[in-house]
Amino acid sequence: MKMDDSWHMEWYLNRATSDEKRLINKIYEFEHFFEDMTFQEGTSTYELLQCKSKPKDSDEWIRDAVEPPDELHFFSYTFFHFKVEPLEGCAGMFNHEDQTLTVIPEELENDRTILHEMIHMHEFVINDLPMYFHDMVYWALYKDLKKTILGLDDIITAHAHLLTGSSIYSSGGVHDVLFLLKSFDLDIRKGYPLGTVFAYDREEELKGYSYKNDNN
């Protein structure tokens, strides 16, 4: 991950289109939905950074948090590029090579498309770190969603099947179980039916599953 925002303000002021400014503003609007993927204090992932230590010459244990890697601790959307332009065969995409999130003009007001690509963006950051950070996010999401989504294990089992993975891959997408879980987390936060943010017709496939929404 390239952590460079020296170009961002000049781009925003002088070169970004009105649609691109609208896109980045919506991304900041959704920023709080992804605090768990940057291990922010108060999230379930932050709890996995907690540890206990006993200072020398003291009988008292102190609870504190280990500081996450710079990519998470100093995470900023100003490290990424944002475009609103036509794409062939998809409504949005995140390009790993140049760290660019793009949506087509017709999807600029479709929150689910932007949220879908934001998961890809955050997972790109996570996957650039040692694998245990991916597992920490996965486990934290699973524990939270297990309490909320009825039949979550059945959904994960079906998603992990070869036929499901190969079908999504043949449509141009790579979406692991962590992506699935985060998309469910966003569905619940937004009050969507399960599968809405994931797309690929999952909303229709998951009609028989429900969740308890404590956010409203």
Side-chain angles (χ1 to χ4, degrees), residues 182-204:
K182 186 58 188 179
S183 74
F184 287 167
D185 174 63
L186 295 174
D187 285 336
I188 295 169
R189 290 172 182 266
K190 294 284 286 183
Y192 295 153
L194 288 178
T196 301
V197 171
F198 191 96
Y200 293 90
D201 298 321
R202 297 311 299 275
E203 181 181 350
E204 186 68 24

Side-chain angles (χ1 to χ4, degrees), residues 4-208:
D4 176 19
D5 63 359
S6 59
W7 56 274
H8 183 82
M9 186 56 68
E10 187 278 330
W11 167 80
Y12 186 86
L13 293 176
N14 300 319
R15 292 182 287 117
T17 66
S18 58
D19 280 350
E20 287 167 346
K21 290 180 179 180
R22 175 62 177 154
L23 174 60
I24 187 65
N25 288 340
K26 288 183 74 68
I27 283 172
Y28 278 115
E29 178 184 331
F30 301 141
E31 180 178 18
H32 63 288
F33 290 155
F34 294 88
E35 290 180 343
D36 57 338
M37 296 191 79
T38 54
F39 290 73
Q40 297 296 306
E41 187 172 357
T43 65
S44 53
T45 51
Y46 182 81
E47 290 300 310
L48 296 176
L49 300 178
Q50 297 286 315
C51 59
K52 291 181 178 181
S53 62
K54 184 186 290 186
K56 188 177 181 179
D57 302 325
S58 174
D59 293 329
E60 295 186 9
W61 287 91
I62 297 176
R63 183 176 173 85
D64 202 357
V66 177
E67 189 171 287
D70 287 351
E71 291 88 341
L72 301 175
H73 190 61
F74 299 107
F75 176 87
S76 172
Y77 292 117
T78 61
F79 299 148
F80 300 88
H81 300 268
F82 302 93
K83 294 181 181 179
V84 179
E85 62 184 26
L87 295 168
E88 187 172 344
C90 60
M93 68 175 293
F94 177 73
N95 188 314
H96 293 197
E97 293 183 3
D98 58 11
Q99 297 183 190
T100 299
L101 188 155
T102 305
V103 298
I104 62 175
E106 296 84 353
E107 293 293 304
L108 187 55
E109 299 304 321
N110 190 341
D111 291 352
R112 79 179 200 172
T113 297
I114 297 173
L115 290 167
H116 182 104
E117 300 309 327
M118 288 179 72
I119 302 176
H120 281 306
M121 182 195 309
H122 279 278
E123 194 163 12
F124 161 73
V125 177
I126 292 294
N127 289 343
D128 203 39
L129 298 171
M131 188 177 65
Y132 48 81
F133 285 98
H134 180 281
D135 289 348
M136 291 164 75
V137 177
Y138 172 93
W139 179 242
L141 282 167
Y142 176 79
K143 285 202 305 178
D144 288 346
L145 293 172
K146 178 73 171 175
K147 307 170 189 174
T148 304
I149 299 175
L150 306 177
L152 179 62
D153 287 352
D154 293 335
I155 299 173
I156 293 175
T157 299
H159 182 78
H161 195 280
L162 172 65
L163 294 180
T164 303
S166 60
S167 174
I168 295 174
Y169 183 77
S170 66
S171 300
V174 178
H175 303 79
D176 60 8
V177 177
L178 188 153
F179 188 102
L180 177 77
L181 294 178
K182 186 58 188 179
S183 74
F184 287 167
D185 174 63
L186 295 174
D187 285 336
I188 295 169
R189 290 172 182 266
K190 294 284 286 183
Y192 295 153
L194 288 178
T196 301
V197 171
F198 191 96
Y200 293 90
D201 298 321
R202 297 311 299 275
E203 181 181 350
E204 186 68 24
E205 296 172 12
L206 295 171
K207 273 189 173 179

